[in-house]
Amino acid sequence: MSEKALDPEKIAEARKEFDFFDADGSGTIGLREFIELLTVLSPKTKASHVQEGFGLIDKNNDGSIDFEEFLEWWQQSWWEY
């Protein structure tokens, strides 16, 4: 994560986005939900980047993105997709 911590307002904004895309309410974003997220946030994302991006964000390799993983990605580089 970057040196500068997000302020509570930015964390709340990220949580709102995370919860919106956590369609099944599991507390994580699976690959299918991540595809939907990228379809909305970055419609020009190439299919090849989806799987690669998911793997990079899922730092613990458990097959889903938890909020901490999402927050780090959101803070650093979501617009790159």
Side-chain angles (χ1 to χ4, degrees):
M1 204 175 281
S2 78
E3 298 292 316
K4 186 178 176 187
L6 287 176
D7 64 54
E9 187 176 295
K10 295 288 185 187
I11 293 171
E13 179 184 318
R15 173 55 82 174
K16 184 188 273 187
E17 295 293 335
F18 180 87
D19 289 346
F20 179 80
F21 289 105
D22 177 18
D24 63 4
S26 66
T28 61
I29 293 176
L31 181 58
R32 222 179 269 278
E33 293 164 323
F34 185 67
I35 292 167
E36 180 66 25
L37 180 153
L38 288 182
T39 300
V40 171
L41 296 180
S42 185
K44 295 181 182 178
T45 300
K46 295 179 182 175
S48 62
H49 287 134
V50 173
Q51 190 73 27
E52 179 183 350
F54 188 85
L56 291 172
I57 298 165
D58 179 20
K59 299 221 184 257
N60 64 3
N61 297 312
D62 67 353
S64 61
I65 298 170
D66 63 31
F67 182 67
E68 291 303 315
E69 292 166 331
F70 177 84
L71 184 61
E72 184 174 342
W73 173 68
W74 187 260
Q75 180 180 5
Q76 292 180 0
S77 61
W78 72 264
W79 53 88
E80 292 177 3
Y81 290 84

